Amino acid sequence: MPYLLSAITLLPLLGSLVILFIPRGQERWVKIWSIAISLIPLALSAYLWFSYDFRAGGIQFEEVYNWIPAINVRYRMGVDGLSIPLIGLTALLSTISLYYSAFTIKERIKEYYFLFLLLETGLMGVFTSLDFFLFYIFWEVGLVPMYFIIGVWGGPRREYAAIKFFMYTLAGSVFMLLSILAIFFAEGTFDILQAAELRPFTDNFFIQSLAFWGFFLAFAIKVPMWPFHTWLPDAHVEAPTAGSVILAGILLKLGGYGFFRILLPIFPQAFNAFALVIAILALISIVYGALVSMAQWDFKKLIAYSSVNHMGYVILGVAAAAATPIGLAATNPDFQAVFDSKAIALSGAVLEMFNHGVITGGLFLLVGIIYERAHTRELREFGGLGSRVPVYYAVLTTAALASLGLPGLAGFVSEFLIFRGALVTLTPLAVIAISGIIITAAMFLWKVIQLMFLGPLKEKWVGLPDMTRWEIITMAPLVFLMVLFGLYPAPILDLINGAMVNLLGSL
């Protein structure tokens, strides 16, 4: 199917431009148009997933056109088993967020939907671009709409949160731009795949290290890793519900995606040299994120800090694949066993990005649903809600159990794979990191399930209504994926694993 990736990426942009011509006062048509146009990339991403040739592997559905020949810039797009799941996740969460917003956003609706569709284009473009110039443009396109979504439709401290988010991300982007220019001046190309083949600065480790850390800072801020995470809680707490869904579900994945698409294949030597440092930062993110999440009483802030914890697992998986083995593999250096363990860790890390997007996106929606009713997110204010809102109780419990890694739900599979791989190559760090799972389980079981739903019902919640039909429709696809990929992860793992084996084989 020609121009498939361009259609997936640019149709939301087209939809956003059409919104500008819808007369003010026609908010209903703005909502209908926005949701309808978002369904097209969702359908095309499903087609992309099922049409990808697993046996051939590699980059497929390529589009390559000369764009700015004077500086060797090309419009190059392509996808593989790394990007396809993230494209599907972006399309799904964007449609769900637009649908949810139709019932909750009451002011400046035209501007809101224009920015949201523009944001979807920026996110899609990052996952489809194979040229640094194009990649950087889409990376920055996604920054501006989220800034306004937080700053205009957010909570009481929205201006502060929006500016903090913007400044952190922009600072990382500057370092990334410098590294991109360094690669261009060294190799004369903006092509990401070509740069991975050429391996720039192999004869000058100092310059290679500077370029590596330039990209690393941009991606680590986006993930976000400790100690670059401090923008995240403010942005999440102040963002509107749909903004938090996209922020946690997709925006954080841009940083993780950069580790797989750029850092590991282009700078394997530098990544290997600094893998232990990065693994330690990931370990701190895991334990720190879980402990700080445990300390929160604001439901939304609790989920925000749990993202630091879960994305730490992703980076631990990447570091385990890049590192020189210590621990079990060092005592028994079987090359094939080590290679397999690294591939398992990488596959688990990519799957964790997808699962985290589904689970945490769902959790933020559930936070928004209860806040719309109770007008508070303070967990100590609740109690005994299980008897009043049984549907909400069941859905939130499912999402919480998936997030803490209960076997049979999606979160378990990806975390199991990460630890299965990391225990071989980074044994001591992986053992310590397991504590993050224990803390997360205690946090969800005590602070969410027990405090909110069990015990005596407080009198002020006697008339609290349960989830409505449209709220159930919003959550149904996410709960379905939590259960499906918990019980049968093969369809997505087969897609991811082929790309990860190819990536490792090229190092």
Side-chain angles (χ1 to χ4, degrees), residues 310-354:
H310 284 90
M311 291 304 292
Y313 294 132
V314 173
I315 306 306
L316 179 65
V318 183
T324 300
I326 59 174
L328 294 176
T331 59
N332 183 24
D334 182 324
F335 173 80
Q336 189 59 48
V338 171
F339 182 91
D340 291 344
S341 294
K342 289 184 174 185
I344 290 170
L346 281 178
S347 297
V350 178
L351 183 58
E352 176 73 3
M353 287 200 293
F354 181 89

Side-chain angles (χ1 to χ4, degrees), residues 208-228:
Q208 182 184 124
S209 299
L210 291 178
F212 173 87
W213 287 112
F215 280 114
F216 175 86
L217 282 172
F219 300 148
I221 289 170
K222 210 81 161 185
V223 164
M225 288 178 66
W226 182 91
F228 311 106

Side-chain angles (χ1 to χ4, degrees), residues 161-177:
I163 291 172
K164 191 174 183 180
F165 160 76
F166 191 91
M167 294 304 296
Y168 263 80
T169 309
L170 185 63
S173 298
V174 170
F175 286 108
M176 179 168 67
L177 180 60

Side-chain angles (χ1 to χ4, degrees), residues 36-73:
I37 202 71
S38 73
L39 288 170
I40 302 175
L42 180 60
L44 293 177
S45 65
Y47 173 83
L48 184 71
W49 193 315
F50 292 111
S51 300
Y52 183 81
D53 189 342
F54 289 80
R55 291 170 295 182
I59 299 293
Q60 297 180 25
F61 301 98
E62 273 198 86
E63 299 177 29
V64 185
Y65 310 101
N66 286 328
W67 185 12
I68 312 175
I71 55 173
N72 201 20
V73 170

Side-chain angles (χ1 to χ4, degrees), residues 274-310:
F274 301 118
L276 188 57
V277 174
I278 294 170
I280 292 172
L281 292 177
L283 173 62
I284 295 173
S285 297
I286 291 168
V287 179
Y288 168 86
L291 288 172
V292 177
S293 184
M294 171 75 87
Q296 304 306 312
W297 291 104
D298 184 309
F299 194 7
K300 203 173 188 184
K301 190 173 284 189
L302 179 148
I303 303 302
Y305 275 109
S306 75
S307 293
V308 177
N309 163 260
H310 284 90

